[in-house]
C-alpha cells in the first residue's frame, strides 16, 4: 500500500467556480505511481467548497454561480454572522451544502474521472484569498 499526503496552496480566485484538476495533477505527481487507489481532496476553509462537474462548457460554472447565489442570497435579512461582510454567512452555508471533500478513484496512475468531469474550487467570497487543499493518495 502506498500512502502520500501533500498540502498545496491555490492562488486567490475571484468568486465563482474554477477548474483546478490540472493544478492538483501537477502538484501531486505521485498519482502516477498508483495503479489502483483513491485520491481524497480536502479544502481547509469554511467559506469555499469542492465539487466535480462539467469541465468543458464554462456556462455550467456560471449557472452554478447563479443558482447557488439564488439558493443562499446575501440579502437574507436574518443572518447575524456578518462580521466579515454580507458574503460571510452565505459562504459558510454554501460550503456546507456543496461540501469540503472529494474522493476520486485512481486507475493506472491517472484520476479516473469521466470524460467531461473536472474538479471545481467553489469560491464563495469576494476576497477569499489563497485556499489550502490537503491531497491524500492511497493505493497500490
Amino acid at each position: 500500500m502506498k500512502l502520500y499526503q501533500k498540502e498545496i496552496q491555490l492562488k486567490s480566485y475571484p468568486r465563482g467556480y474554477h477548474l483546478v484538476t490540472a493544478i492538483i495533477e501537477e502538484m501531486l505527481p505521485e498519482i502516477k505511481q498508483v495503479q489502483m487507489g483513491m485520491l481524497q481532496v480536502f479544502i481547509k476553509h469554511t467559506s469555499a467548497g469542492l465539487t466535480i462537474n462539467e469541465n468543458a462548457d464554462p456556462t455550467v460554472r456560471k449557472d452554478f454561480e447563479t443558482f447557488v447565489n439564488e439558493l443562499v442570497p446575501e440579502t437574507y435579512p436574518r443572518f447575524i454572522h456578518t462580521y466579515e461582510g454580507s458574503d460571510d454567512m452565505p459562504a459558510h452555508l454554501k460550503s456546507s451544502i456543496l461540501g469540503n471533500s472529494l474522493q476520486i478513484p485512481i486507475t493506472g496512475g491517472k484520476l479516473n474521472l469521466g470524460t467531461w468531469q473536472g474538479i471545481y474550487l467553489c469560491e464563495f467570497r469576494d476576497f477569499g484569498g489563497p485556499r489550502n487543499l490537503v491531497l491524500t493518495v492511497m493505493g497500490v
Side-chain angles (χ1 to χ4, degrees):
M1 173 73 107
K2 296 173 184 165
L3 185 62
Y4 305 102
Q5 188 172 77
K6 184 182 287 185
E7 186 167 333
I8 66 169
Q9 185 173 78
L10 300 175
K11 68 175 186 161
S12 294
Y13 283 91
R15 185 194 294 226
Y17 296 74
H18 308 279
L19 282 168
V20 295
T21 314
I23 295 167
I24 289 170
E25 291 171 328
E26 179 183 317
M27 298 297 289
L28 196 62
E30 294 87 350
I31 291 171
K32 295 175 183 147
Q33 300 174 28
V34 176
Q35 292 307 301
M36 182 174 55
M38 194 69 65
L39 168 65
Q40 180 186 42
V41 183
F42 176 78
I43 190 165
K44 294 176 66 173
H45 301 276
T46 61
S47 58
L50 298 167
T51 194
I52 293 174
N53 216 292
E54 166 78 47
N55 69 356
D57 185 348
T59 63
V60 172
R61 295 189 299 277
K62 181 63 180 154
D63 287 345
F64 256 89
E65 174 76 6
T66 300
F67 179 80
V68 174
N69 284 342
E70 288 179 14
L71 184 66
V72 184
E74 289 183 21
T75 57
Y76 185 70
R78 298 169 108 177
F79 289 145
I80 56 174
H81 180 77
T82 58
Y83 309 120
E84 295 176 21
S86 63
D87 64 348
D88 192 11
M89 189 60 212
H92 294 308
L93 289 170
K94 292 171 187 177
S95 175
S96 288
I97 290 167
L98 283 175
N100 58 18
S101 181
L102 300 171
Q103 287 69 234
I104 304 157
I106 300 169
T107 305
K110 296 180 181 178
L111 295 180
N112 196 345
L113 291 165
T115 301
W116 306 110
Q117 289 182 318
I119 302 168
Y120 291 5
L121 165 68
C122 311
E123 178 55 70
F124 303 126
R125 300 296 308 268
D126 288 328
F127 303 102
R131 299 301 191 170
N132 297 312
L133 303 178
V134 178
L135 309 174
T136 305
V137 173
M138 300 161 272
V140 293

